[in-house]
């Protein structure tokens, strides 16, 4: 009898060890990536990174020969990313949140289940395909690569995540709140806007932030839509750069290759910070 | 034939108004069905007078909550539920009225306390006004909040934490806040759907005292699982079984001399 117990305890311990080891293994890649980026990129971190545009190949070559840090920064990419993300947010968040509310409020209708499955499929569409389609829809008719086209492709990629996170967080709101609002004589739209949406706000906000994180590093669709630019561009109809596009450009130019690490580090830090903020908000706004 | 006689007896035995109370709510042949085959409430007729507490009792699934929720048309949240008959509130059929007006006239308190989690205690009391876009100035708001919270004996406990969220309170306090939220709109009728079933005995006791107190100003219809609660707080009682109103009489009479065998069986614990 007691030997079975001992055997069970031993088995339990072994299992726990294995699980712990395996889960710590999953943390290794992130730390390796961060370490690698820091090691290779720290030399280029300075203020001009945020205040100057990407250097020309010639300037970078001269700096390399005289063994100085490469001049210039990534301001054109940073501004382009912010511009395109802002436009993508304006396009996708209202549509995404409204569709999410519809899906949560009409769980069982035929139309909802169609929308739900299509949303899942949209999430699975490869980003390069989204880029090609937006190229055909926006870039060709406008006869120019543009920040607008880039933001359309980002908005399409954000939509499914926003829709599903809205739906999930609306479903988490207890039905008794809806009844309470109804019993006070409030109209349906008032209940949605003033009771259910605020109660689900934490989830909506987190979902939107995570969607932003997700598309922040998208490169393929931007290559076909925003193209890139060597100067800061805030005109939405002109080609525009973005941080991931700059990484791609730096990678393709041996003189600029050193900047790849710093730029990647920066992009990763942005994504991680937004992620952490999103997680904290989710915790803080959790419905009791 | 027997049924007809029973109905007649029941109608005669309905509680009569006492003192200056008047007829407030009339149920006439009210039936509620979840689907054409499944009726949850069957031809219920009853008169309810103002400033009384009426308890609706019965075993689980007898339709007591369904009947209560028909009064303020809560069933409209679910399109397949159909309500038939007439429900006259102050002589007007609620089924023909604007549902939002009905719900402002008949406040409701639910089984589980459900204060709005994103609103402060203060805003929760005023939710009925803000959600109906009724504009009030600061002084009116303060006055309504204070008198209503005093009315539910919560003022002294929360007057220093008005800006805290409703979920900050204990379960019993939350339920009193929900009663305050319903009363702030000054309804004609207060519907309570097992308001103490999620509360501890002390909180239950306070809510019961509150109900007796509120009777001076309001008319209360309360669904309860708990027979002794019905005996303690109600003037009149309805006993429902399988969707039917078996007996409706003054609580005293029903608990001492029930007319129906089924009521007696239920009250003595033979089933339910």
């Amino acid at each position: 009898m007691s030997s079975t117990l001992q055997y069970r305890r031993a088995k339990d311990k072994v299992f726990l060890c294995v699980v712990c080891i395996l889960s710590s293994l999953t943390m290794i890649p992130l730390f390796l990536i961060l370490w690698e980026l820091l090691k290779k990129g720290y030399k280029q971190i300075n203020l001009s990174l945020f205040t100057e545009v990407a250097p020309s190949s010639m300037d970078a070559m001269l700096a390399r020969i005289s063994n100085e840090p490469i001049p210039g920064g990534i301001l054109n990419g940073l501004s382009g990313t912010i511009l395109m993300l802002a436009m993508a947010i304006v396009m996708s968040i209202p549509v995404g949140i409204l569709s999410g509310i519809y899906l949560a409020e009409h769980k069982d209708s035929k139309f909802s289940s169609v929308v739900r499955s299509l949303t899942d499929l949209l999430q699975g569409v490869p980003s390069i395909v989204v880029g090609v389609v937006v190229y055909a829809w926006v870039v060709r008719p406008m006869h120019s690569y543009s920040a607008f086209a880039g933001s359309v492709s980002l908005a399409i990629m954000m939509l499914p995540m926003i829709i599903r996170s809205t739906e999930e967080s609306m479903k988490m709101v207890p039905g008794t709140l809806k009844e309470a609002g109804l019993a006070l004589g409030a109209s349906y739209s008032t209940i949605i806007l003033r009771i259910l949406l605020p109660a689900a706000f934490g989830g909506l906000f987190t979902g939107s932030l995570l969607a932003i994180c997700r598309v922040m590093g998208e490169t393929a669709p931007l290559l076909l839509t925003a193209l890139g630019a060597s100067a800061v561009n805030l005109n939405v109809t002109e080609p525009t750069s973005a941080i991931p596009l700059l990484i791609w450009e730096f990678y393709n130019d041996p003189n600029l290759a050193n900047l790849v690490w710093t730029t990647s580090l920066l992009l990763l830090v942005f994504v991680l910070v937004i992620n952490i903020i999103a997680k904290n908000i989710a915790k803080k706004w959790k419905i009791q | 034939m027997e049924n007809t006689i029973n109905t007649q007896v029941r109608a005669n035995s309905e509680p009569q108004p006492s003192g200056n109370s008047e007829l407030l709510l009339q149920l006439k042949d009210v039936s509620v069905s979840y689907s054409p085959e499944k009726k949850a409430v069957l031809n219920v007729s009853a008169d309810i007078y103002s400033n009384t507490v009426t308890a609706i009792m019965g075993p689980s699934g007898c339709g007591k909550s369904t009947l209560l929720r028909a009064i303020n048309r809560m069933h409209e949240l679910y399109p397949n539920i159909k309500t038939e008959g007439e429900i006259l509130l102050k002589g007007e059929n609620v089924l023909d009225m604007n549902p939002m007006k009905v719900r402002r006239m008949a406040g409701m308190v639910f089984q589980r306390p459900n204060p709005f989690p994103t609103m402060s205690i203060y805003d929760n009391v005023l939710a009925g006004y803000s959600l109906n876009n009724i504009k009030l100035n600061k002084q009116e708001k303060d006055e309504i909040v204070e008198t209503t919270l005093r009315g539910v004996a919560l003022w002294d406990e929360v007057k220093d934490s008005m800006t805290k969220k409703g979920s900050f309170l204990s379960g019993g306090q939350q339920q009193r806040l929900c009663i305050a939220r319903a009363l702030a709109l000054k309804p004609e009728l207060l519907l309570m759907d097992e308001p103490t079933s999620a509360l501890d005995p002390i909180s239950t006791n306070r809510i019961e005292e509150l109900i007796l107190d509120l009777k001076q100003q309001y008319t209360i219809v309360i669904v309860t699982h708990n027979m002794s609660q019905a005996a303690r707080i109600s003037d009149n009682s309805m006993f429902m079984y399988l969707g039917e109103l078996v007996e409706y009489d003054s609580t005293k009479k029903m608990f001492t001399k029930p007319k129906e065998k089924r009521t007696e069986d239920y009250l003595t614990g033979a089933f339910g």
Side-chain angles (χ1 to χ4, degrees):
Chain A
M1 195 68 182
S2 77
S3 73
T4 345
L5 191 64
Q6 270 175 350
Y7 169 70
R8 282 186 181 183
R9 280 194 180 142
K11 201 168 76 172
D12 190 41
K13 269 190 189 144
V14 170
F15 187 71
L16 187 68
C17 277
V18 171
V19 169
C20 284
I21 290 167
L22 289 179
S23 27
S24 23
L25 280 179
T26 60
M27 298 192 293
I28 290 175
L30 180 66
F31 284 110
L32 280 183
I33 290 170
L34 267 176
W35 169 244
E36 191 74 16
L37 292 180
L38 265 174
K39 198 173 66 179
K40 296 195 166 150
Y42 79 96
K43 279 189 219 119
Q44 290 288 337
I45 297 178
N46 47 34
L47 193 65
S48 65
L49 201 62
F50 300 97
T51 56
E52 287 174 36
V53 297
S56 69
S57 190
M58 183 64 90
D59 290 343
M61 191 176 72
L62 292 175
R64 231 168 56 135
I65 291 169
S66 52
N67 221 356
E68 279 168 26
I70 302 172
I74 55 163
L75 184 63
N76 50 340
L78 197 60
S79 61
T81 290
I82 293 172
L83 175 71
M84 285 191 280
L85 277 180
M87 281 195 289
I89 288 169
V90 170
M91 284 183 249
S92 64
I93 287 188
V95 178
I97 287 183
L98 290 178
S99 333
I101 292 174
Y102 178 83
L103 291 186
E105 286 296 302
H106 301 267
K107 288 183 205 76
D108 308 320
S109 83
K110 268 245 166 66
F111 184 61
S112 305
S113 69
V114 172
V115 172
R116 208 174 284 125
S117 340
L118 289 181
T119 309
D120 285 344
L121 288 176
L122 184 60
Q123 186 146 33
V125 173
S127 59
I128 186 84
V129 176
V130 174
V132 171
V133 170
V134 174
Y135 175 83
W137 282 352
V138 184
V139 177
R140 292 286 289 276
M142 285 175 72
H143 304 291
S144 162
Y145 294 99
S146 63
F148 176 68
S151 61
V152 170
S153 64
L154 295 187
I156 292 175
M157 303 209 58
M158 280 168 78
L159 259 186
M161 293 184 68
I162 295 175
I163 293 176
R164 289 320 288 269
S165 67
T166 305
E167 187 189 357
E168 291 310 317
S169 23
M170 290 293 282
K171 273 195 207 155
M172 299 259 290
V173 177
T176 54
L177 289 186
K178 196 200 256 181
E179 292 191 332
L182 202 67
L184 288 172
S187 66
Y188 189 63
S189 57
T190 311
I191 292 170
I192 300 259
L193 291 175
R194 307 265 293 275
I195 299 172
L196 303 186
L197 262 187
F201 181 77
L204 294 186
F205 200 78
T206 308
S208 305
L209 278 184
L210 290 177
I212 291 167
C213 275
R214 164 88 176 66
V215 298
M216 206 168 172
E218 277 303 335
T219 322
L222 293 185
L223 275 175
L224 300 174
T225 51
L227 190 68
S230 53
V232 172
N233 168 50
L234 296 176
N235 182 346
V236 297
T237 60
E238 296 281 319
T240 307
S241 190
I243 299 176
L245 286 178
L246 277 184
I247 296 176
W248 173 244
E249 280 166 27
F250 295 155
Y251 168 79
N252 282 318
D253 188 331
N255 291 322
L256 294 170
N258 272 341
L259 280 174
V260 166
W261 306 105
T262 319
T263 317
S264 305
L265 180 65
L266 221 64
L267 183 60
L268 184 62
V269 167
F270 285 151
V271 170
L272 289 183
V273 167
I274 296 180
N275 246 302
I276 291 165
I277 293 174
K279 296 267 155 67
N280 278 322
I281 287 172
K283 238 182 267 166
K284 207 172 162 191
W285 280 76
K286 216 168 170 187
I287 300 161
Q288 280 121 8
Chain B
M1 194 62 192
E2 204 181 60
N3 264 337
T4 339
I5 295 165
N6 268 344
T7 316
Q8 295 239 316
V9 170
R10 201 187 308 151
N12 290 337
S13 73
E14 279 201 356
Q16 300 302 310
S18 60
N20 53 1
S21 70
E22 52 192 50
L23 185 60
L24 181 77
L25 180 73
Q26 256 184 309
L27 307 177
K28 286 185 175 172
D29 257 340
V30 176
S31 297
V32 183
S33 51
Y34 286 94
S35 62
E37 314 85 59
K38 198 184 161 215
K39 289 210 169 183
V41 173
L42 283 165
N43 305 80
V44 169
S45 297
D47 292 350
I48 290 166
Y49 293 89
S50 63
N51 301 91
T52 55
V53 176
T54 306
I56 309 180
M57 294 182 294
S60 303
C62 69
K64 52 192 191 303
S65 286
T66 310
L67 177 63
L68 189 79
R69 295 162 69 94
I71 298 172
N72 67 342
R73 295 176 61 176
M74 288 299 282
H75 292 313
E76 276 157 46
L77 204 53
Y78 312 96
N80 45 346
I81 304 182
K82 296 266 178 300
T83 310
E84 288 160 290
E86 274 182 78
I87 301 171
L88 302 174
L89 181 58
K90 284 197 136 181
E92 226 181 320
N93 189 357
V94 302
L95 299 176
D96 300 330
M97 280 162 77
N98 177 344
M100 287 163 207
K101 190 180 163 203
V102 174
R103 291 173 196 142
R104 267 171 266 168
M105 284 174 78
M108 186 167 227
V109 177
F110 297 84
Q111 207 164 348
R112 292 188 162 275
N114 53 2
F116 297 125
T118 51
M119 294 186 193
S120 65
I121 294 172
Y122 187 89
D123 290 336
N124 257 294
V125 177
L126 293 168
Y129 290 93
S130 59
L131 294 176
N132 287 304
N133 294 320
I134 301 170
K135 297 269 176 290
L136 298 169
N137 62 36
K138 181 86 177 82
Q139 200 191 339
E140 287 170 319
K141 282 184 184 174
D142 288 346
E143 205 181 294
I144 291 172
V145 170
E146 184 172 343
T147 44
T148 323
L149 287 178
R150 277 189 196 285
V152 298
L154 193 59
W155 174 254
D156 291 328
E157 291 161 56
V158 302
K159 63 171 184 264
D160 300 318
S161 40
M162 278 297 165
T163 51
K164 293 211 167 108
K165 298 269 181 277
S167 42
F168 158 83
L169 301 171
S170 74
Q173 288 174 322
Q174 285 187 22
Q175 193 62 303
R176 274 180 284 153
L177 178 61
C178 293
I179 297 175
R181 183 175 63 187
L183 294 181
L185 280 169
K186 305 208 167 52
E188 302 285 340
L189 181 67
L190 186 62
L191 306 170
M192 303 178 108
D193 191 354
E194 300 192 39
T196 60
S197 66
L199 303 180
D200 61 85
I202 294 168
S203 307
T204 300
N205 192 20
R206 299 202 62 173
I207 302 266
E208 287 181 4
E209 282 169 10
L210 176 61
I211 291 172
L212 288 174
D213 206 33
L214 290 174
K215 196 172 78 170
Q216 313 302 324
Q217 290 177 57
Y218 299 96
T219 309
I220 296 169
V221 181
I222 177 171
V223 165
T224 177
H225 233 86
N226 183 332
M227 281 179 274
S228 48
Q229 180 171 64
R232 282 194 297 270
I233 60 172
S234 69
D235 302 300
N236 304 314
S237 293
M238 295 184 190
F239 172 63
M240 290 185 71
Y241 185 61
L242 299 175
E244 245 182 287
L245 178 59
V246 176
E247 191 165 342
Y248 175 35
D249 209 335
S250 88
T251 305
K252 219 179 204 168
K253 269 196 217 158
M254 191 186 282
F255 276 77
T256 47
K257 268 190 257 160
K259 291 199 186 62
E260 288 271 334
K261 181 81 174 64
R262 284 177 290 179
T263 316
E264 193 180 335
D265 288 347
Y266 179 71
L267 292 176
T268 53
F271 70 93

